[in-house]
Amino acid sequence: IQFAPVYYLGAYRHYFQDNRFVYLTRSNLVKQAISGHIAAESGYYHSFYDNEDAVLNVAYDFDKIDKHLNHLLEMMRAWESFFAYEGITPLRITYEAIQEKPAEVMRQLFRFCEMDDQSEIMTKTSVERVCSRLNEDFYIRFVKESEYKIDRIELN
């Protein structure tokens, strides 16, 4: 969605057509939507922000989380369409892979970009993952409510 103006105004063909694309996603989109909801409601997007306590005051809201989820799905649909139309095979990396094996992800990235392996590259950072007990609580509740809504739809 963010790339659409670049694409439709012709800048892609002029400036980016020969570039490689790295497509970063999360394995669990509901958890990403929940993180987005908590960040939007609390204003706490990064671990170096000063308002970490605001996260604990965020209220659960199925509709707002669902809206974040649908926004993510729409963005993914747009990117996948772009890749398909242009015949692009991006390097696909997940947020979880970066967390679990950052050095391996970096090696994949260097290979994809046809760069020399940078085995000594720094994979540690002072930025920390932003997550609280709310994330898991909201996830469990959202999944239960989703199952209930799906069951109600199937019965009607």
Side-chain angles (χ1 to χ4, degrees):
I1 293 174
Q2 306 96 328
F3 191 65
V6 172
Y7 186 73
Y8 291 114
L9 293 174
Y12 164 72
R13 293 221 183 277
H14 188 74
Y15 295 107
F16 301 107
Q17 189 167 8
D18 295 330
N19 290 349
R20 293 183 173 105
F21 285 81
V22 177
Y23 188 46
L24 177 64
T25 58
R26 275 191 67 173
S27 297
N28 189 315
L29 294 180
V30 171
K31 287 184 177 182
Q32 183 177 357
I34 289 167
S35 292
H37 166 66
I38 291 172
E41 294 295 308
S42 68
Y44 187 64
Y45 290 87
H46 300 285
S47 63
F48 51 82
Y49 282 11
D50 212 11
N51 56 349
E52 185 175 359
D53 292 337
V55 169
L56 301 177
N57 296 320
V58 173
Y60 174 84
D61 188 316
F62 181 91
D63 292 331
K64 287 182 179 179
I65 295 169
D66 192 51
K67 186 175 179 178
H68 281 278
L69 178 60
N70 284 303
H71 178 71
L72 291 169
L73 291 168
E74 177 58 26
M75 285 192 318
M76 292 177 77
R77 187 207 57 76
W79 278 111
E80 292 294 348
S81 294
F82 166 70
F83 295 143
Y85 291 140
E86 294 298 329
I88 295 170
T89 304
L91 173 62
R92 295 175 184 274
I93 297 175
T94 65
Y95 169 83
E96 291 82 3
I98 293 171
Q99 281 187 305
E100 294 167 15
K101 299 177 184 176
E104 176 55 33
V105 170
M106 291 305 297
R107 282 191 284 280
Q108 287 176 341
L109 184 57
F110 286 123
R111 282 192 302 271
F112 183 72
C113 294
E114 297 178 354
M115 297 172 62
D116 293 335
D117 184 5
Q118 305 288 323
S119 299
E120 301 299 317
I121 194 157
M122 180 185 75
T123 57
K124 300 270 186 220
T125 177
S126 60
V127 178
E128 298 174 12
R129 179 176 176 225
V130 176
C131 189
S132 73
R133 65 174 169 71
L134 286 183
N135 292 67
E136 192 59 29
D137 293 347
F138 286 6
Y139 178 73
I140 292 167
R141 188 169 171 187
F142 187 86
V143 169
K144 283 182 183 175
E145 283 188 41
S146 296
E147 289 171 353
Y148 173 77
K149 289 175 187 278
I150 289 169
D151 286 345
R152 301 277 303 175
I153 291 169
E154 290 176 355
L155 292 175
N156 294 329

